Amino acid sequence: MTAVSEEVLLERIRSGRLIEDPEQATERYIEGLKRTLIVSADTELISAPAYMHAVRDFSTLPGVNNYITVMGIVQDELGHAHIAYRMLRDLGVDTEELVYGREPHQFKHPYAFDVPLESFTELVVANGFYDRAGFVLLSDIHRNCSYGPWKRALVKVDREENFHLRHGEKWMRVLSQDPEKKRELQRAVDWMFVLTLEWFGLPDDKKRHNEQIEYGYKGSTNDQLRQTWMSSTVPLCESLGLEVPAHYDEEQGRYVIDCPFPARFDAEEKRWLFEEGQISWDEVLRRWKARGPKNEEFVEHLQRGYKELYGAGAAA
């Protein structure tokens, strides 16, 4: 238990001085920071098997260089996960138990990564959409984070996430020049655009943990971050002739979502059931909590080697 008062902590944050050590923060600050770091770490970690699944059939890739690039992205993501888990360990979290001891449904990554990417086309849309979402979130944390060790670590992460999203956008442009590939792109965009809108979490009026702004873990709200993501993604898709259910409203000075949101999602068919209308966020939370079709497989892929190694050791 730290001796720092809430008043002293908030004054330090307001004055622009960084938190460099848990002793400079309250227990509430540290617990909120842990929650935020776990989501970040789990997201980076689960992206590795998700992206690898997309390129499991080497023959579907344009060339060997594409495979090498994807493996480089996977390596980056694992490195980003290591950074966040290492910070959690420095905050007293048993990261071995966190990574290898939790059940698949207990991981805190966005639901989108539980829906399989099954082609190079879907992979590059994931790079363009998901990595853009990650870039928006982590860039905001990098600029505004009150926790010094994470703020500095994100210099490297921010640059590498920018490379990932540029890879996706470049190949979306390339594939959009081929009529058949453009149709594939549109099918991927149809389900992945709205799934990425969900990435940023509950709308501001339903947010449960408000300490992220109060304590300066980040500087923008969920809805503001959603707007930032759309401000890059919608113009990109429009420039490629791809349809998305959102547009910029000049009168409101913001992007408006043109479909029921939130909505029901058929994960097996990768299809939004917009015809059923808007649903409650409580229903979305139940879907997130239940996880998606590849959740168990991807987590098992990450935990298998550890369990085999230590299971064999215990048996011996």
Side-chain angles (χ1 to χ4, degrees):
M1 181 72 69
T2 65
V4 174
S5 68
E6 189 76 5
E7 292 74 18
V8 169
L9 171 66
L10 291 175
E11 175 57 32
R12 184 184 184 94
I13 293 171
R14 293 190 194 105
S15 69
R17 290 180 294 159
L18 298 176
I19 308 300
E20 298 291 352
D21 185 274
E23 296 301 317
Q24 297 173 335
T26 62
E27 184 177 6
R28 181 172 180 261
Y29 177 97
I30 295 301
E31 290 307 309
L33 178 62
K34 288 177 184 177
R35 279 195 298 271
T36 306
L37 279 166
I38 288 172
V39 173
S40 180
D42 286 356
T43 301
E44 303 283 11
L45 183 65
I46 205 68
S47 68
Y51 288 166
M52 289 178 67
H53 183 81
V55 296
R56 66 198 185 284
D57 184 354
F58 186 82
S59 66
T60 64
L61 301 180
V64 67
N65 286 341
N66 301 96
Y67 185 80
I68 293 171
T69 299
V70 174
M71 290 303 102
I73 291 173
V74 167
Q75 186 177 31
D76 287 345
E77 303 288 19
L78 291 173
H80 301 168
H82 173 75
I83 289 171
Y85 286 126
R86 173 56 191 267
M87 290 189 183
L88 284 162
R89 187 170 65 193
D90 290 344
L91 293 172
V93 176
D94 183 347
T95 53
E96 196 166 288
E97 173 64 24
L98 194 67
V99 175
Y100 301 111
R102 279 182 297 169
E103 295 297 319
H105 70 275
Q106 294 176 310
F107 278 70
K108 303 297 183 182
H109 56 271
Y111 178 88
F113 274 131
D114 286 342
V115 183
L117 303 170
E118 297 175 301
S119 67
F120 182 72
T121 300
E122 290 188 342
L123 172 69
V124 299
V125 176
N127 288 153
F129 285 8
Y130 299 173
D131 285 297
R132 168 68 70 179
F135 179 76
V136 166
L137 285 162
L138 292 176
S139 292
D140 181 77
I141 294 172
H142 178 215
R143 290 191 304 271
N144 299 288
C145 187
S146 61
Y147 188 59
W150 199 13
K151 186 179 185 74
R152 289 187 290 274
L154 286 175
V155 174
K156 175 179 185 293
V157 175
D158 197 60
R159 290 172 180 170
E160 290 173 350
E161 290 292 353
N162 186 56
F163 162 69
H164 302 171
L165 71 90
R166 295 302 177 195
H167 171 262
E169 292 177 353
K170 168 197 167 183
W171 275 99
M172 287 176 70
R173 291 189 179 94
V174 171
L175 296 179
S176 69
Q177 301 305 306
D178 180 300
E180 178 58 34
K181 291 297 183 183
K182 186 174 181 179
R183 285 190 285 272
E184 289 184 22
L185 276 174
Q186 185 63 63
R187 286 194 293 272
V189 167
D190 286 344
W191 66 272
M192 296 170 73
F193 183 88
V194 180
L195 212 53
T196 318
L197 287 176
E198 287 189 349
W199 190 292
F200 299 94
L202 296 172
D204 294 346
D205 61 353
K206 297 184 182 298
K207 192 77 170 67
R208 294 180 176 181
H209 299 296
N210 297 314
E211 74 273 6
Q212 290 183 330
I213 300 295
E214 178 187 5
Y215 284 152
Y217 308 143
K218 64 179 188 177
S220 302
T221 67
N222 289 359
D223 286 334
Q224 289 169 340
L225 292 167
R226 230 185 309 269
Q227 285 288 318
T228 300
W229 181 79
M230 284 192 283
S231 71
S232 294
T233 308
V234 173
L236 168 70
C237 291
E238 290 176 343
S239 72
L240 301 181
L242 299 168
E243 296 180 2
V244 292
H247 73 280
Y248 186 74
D249 187 293
E250 294 285 351
E251 290 188 7
Q252 297 185 52
R254 63 192 295 273
Y255 282 87
V256 175
I257 299 170
D258 298 324
C259 62
F261 181 74
R264 289 194 178 91
F265 180 62
D266 184 333
E268 297 297 336
E269 296 293 329
K270 296 182 178 179
R271 188 175 73 87
W272 290 97
L273 307 181
F274 295 136
E275 66 276 12
E276 297 184 9
Q278 186 172 332
I279 62 173
S280 71
W281 279 98
D282 286 340
E283 185 171 337
V284 177
L285 287 170
R286 287 195 292 272
R287 168 162 54 83
W288 289 352
K289 188 175 180 180
R291 306 306 320 186
K294 286 291 182 179
N295 173 246
E296 291 187 10
E297 178 182 326
F298 288 165
V299 173
E300 191 275 335
H301 181 81
L302 292 164
Q303 295 178 338
R304 183 191 311 136
Y306 178 92
K307 289 183 176 180
E308 289 177 352
L309 176 64
Y310 286 92

